Amino acid sequence: WAASSPHPSSTEWEERGDVSRIAVIGCGAFATAQHLPAYQGGRGAGLATLVGVCAVDADRAQSAARQYGVRAWASVSRSSID
């Protein structure tokens, strides 16, 4: 990133591959009111990309996934996220 800036821009983070890919496990009230909006906002700052949600209740996972435009899982393993 530019030496004149102590913090890289969102584009620079993405170019370097430093953007974290986040999947939230659990789609209850706290996740939908706090975590998911925060991670979605992190994308605009170039810090994180919300890639999916997981919940035992498949309907909740699907609802959150539609709202945030990401994938939904009812169970999770490393291979399902990669």
Side-chain angles (χ1 to χ4, degrees):
W1 65 74
S4 62
S5 173
H7 304 289
S9 70
S10 58
T11 303
E12 289 169 323
W13 278 105
E14 290 174 12
E15 289 172 356
R16 289 181 37 191
D18 290 343
V19 177
S20 296
R21 296 177 64 219
I22 305 293
V24 173
I25 298 176
C27 293
F30 197 78
T32 56
Q34 300 293 323
H35 292 167
L36 293 170
Y39 285 127
Q40 191 71 9
R43 178 185 180 104
L47 302 175
T49 298
L50 181 65
V51 297
V53 294
C54 178
V56 173
D57 182 332
D59 291 335
R60 278 190 182 193
Q62 287 295 335
S63 177
R66 278 192 301 275
Q67 183 176 352
Y68 290 95
V70 297
R71 293 178 58 189
W73 295 277
S75 64
V76 68
S77 68
R78 175 121 179 121
S79 63
S80 66
I81 295 174
D82 284 340

